Each structure stands twice: as structure tokens, then as C-alpha cells.
Amino acid sequence: MDSTSVAGGPVTQIAWVVTDIEASERFLKTTMGAGDWMRMPDIHFAPDTCRYRDEPADFTAHISLSYCGDTQLELIQPVRGQSIYTEFLERGGPGLHHVCMEPDDFDAALKDAAARGIPVVQQGNMGGEMRFAYLDGTDSGVPYIELAEIGPNMRLFFEQIKKGAQ
């Protein structure tokens, strides 16, 4: 990580928050050449593993993943509860929500963001296989930057999705 970048490294994912996940899958397949989608309905983010605006979070979303080349594409359709995703829809409707980067040192990147005064709006831990944190760039005209730390089993899962998308 250099002195000019909190995360460093390339963008590994582009994500949209949507209201109709199936229509969004079709559109991105047609326009971007996305491969087959892996749709995961009703993913629960629980209060013991996720925080939204410094409070325990409890929400559910449909998640769909695909790839365009080496870039992961993610669609998120909120289903229940308050989250960064419902807030985004309420503020301006569906659209590009975040890009994701994978810093070499997740904890150091979070400390660097805090030192720079960049708020973390939502963060969580997916069963010890993925930690994530959304940095708030809305005051600068950027929705969010997601920082992610991907564990080996989640990495294998993503590789299987990538193979299916080719």
C-alpha cells in the first residue's frame, strides 16, 4: 500500500444495487458480455457479523455474481431490513453502487481510511471467509469503495463462478 491509496491494487469487482435482479442479469449479459450468473437468494446479514452505520445490522438481500473477463460483477437486490443497499435505493434509485478492491492488509487499510477521515458505512464478516467494509465517498461524488479480504474457500467459490461464466 502506498501513501496515496488506502487500498492499493486493481478493482476486482463492480457492483450495482437493483430492484429487479433478473432484468439486471439479462441487461449486463447483453451489454457487457457477462457470463452465466450465480444467483444466491435471501442472503442474511446478521447482527452478530454485520454493522451498518455503527449499529448491528439485520437484513437480507438477493445476490447474483458473474464475470466479465477477470472482473467480478455483482448485483444486489435488498429484500428485508435497513442496509447500505436500501439507503442507496431510497436516495436515488438503482444504479452503480461500488467498486471493490482487495488490499494486501485489510486491517491496515481500515486504519488508513480512519486516519484520513473516511467513514466506514457498513462492514461485516461472511463466516470467516470474507471480510468487507464500505468506505463512504458520497461527499466526493463517488458512491462507495468496498474493501474486501477474501479467504481461501470463498476464493475457490469465486473461481467456480468465473469458470461457469466463461
Side-chain angles (χ1 to χ4, degrees):
M1 181 168 33
D2 66 32
S3 62
T4 61
S5 173
V6 169
V11 170
T12 58
Q13 179 196 74
I14 303 169
W16 295 263
V17 171
V18 302
T19 55
D20 183 341
I21 206 164
E22 187 174 341
S24 299
E25 288 170 345
R26 283 193 310 268
F27 180 78
L28 291 173
K29 189 169 191 132
T30 301
T31 60
M32 290 184 71
D36 291 339
W37 290 88
M38 167 64 77
R39 192 178 315 161
M40 297 163 281
D42 299 316
I43 301 297
H44 182 223
F45 296 82
D48 59 332
T49 60
C50 189
R51 297 187 67 75
Y52 166 61
R53 299 216 173 267
D54 292 324
E55 297 292 328
D58 188 10
F59 62 92
T60 304
H62 300 323
I63 308 289
S64 195
L65 299 173
S66 185
Y67 279 81
C68 184
D70 288 330
T71 303
Q72 186 181 81
L73 308 178
E74 180 181 37
L75 300 172
I76 304 162
Q77 180 181 334
V79 175
R80 180 196 60 78
Q82 283 299 115
S83 67
I84 195 174
Y85 315 122
T86 56
E87 178 183 296
F88 183 82
L89 286 175
E90 290 164 2
R91 189 171 57 231
L96 179 64
H97 184 262
H98 68 267
V99 296
C100 180
M101 300 175 81
E102 298 175 29
D104 291 334
D105 186 330
F106 183 81
D107 294 318
L110 285 180
K111 287 178 186 168
D112 188 20
R116 295 173 191 235
I118 303 170
V120 173
V121 181
Q122 184 168 285
Q123 61 185 328
N125 186 328
M126 306 285 297
E129 281 299 321
M130 179 176 164
R131 293 193 299 162
F132 63 90
Y134 290 99
L135 304 181
D136 191 351
T138 54
D139 288 345
S140 301
V142 177
Y144 302 99
I145 302 295
E146 180 185 24
L147 303 179
E149 178 183 69
I150 312 296
N153 291 330
M154 187 67 76
R155 182 88 50 213
L156 286 172
F157 178 61
F158 289 166
E159 285 299 319
Q160 290 302 315
I161 294 170
K162 187 175 181 180
K163 285 179 187 173
Q166 295 173 345

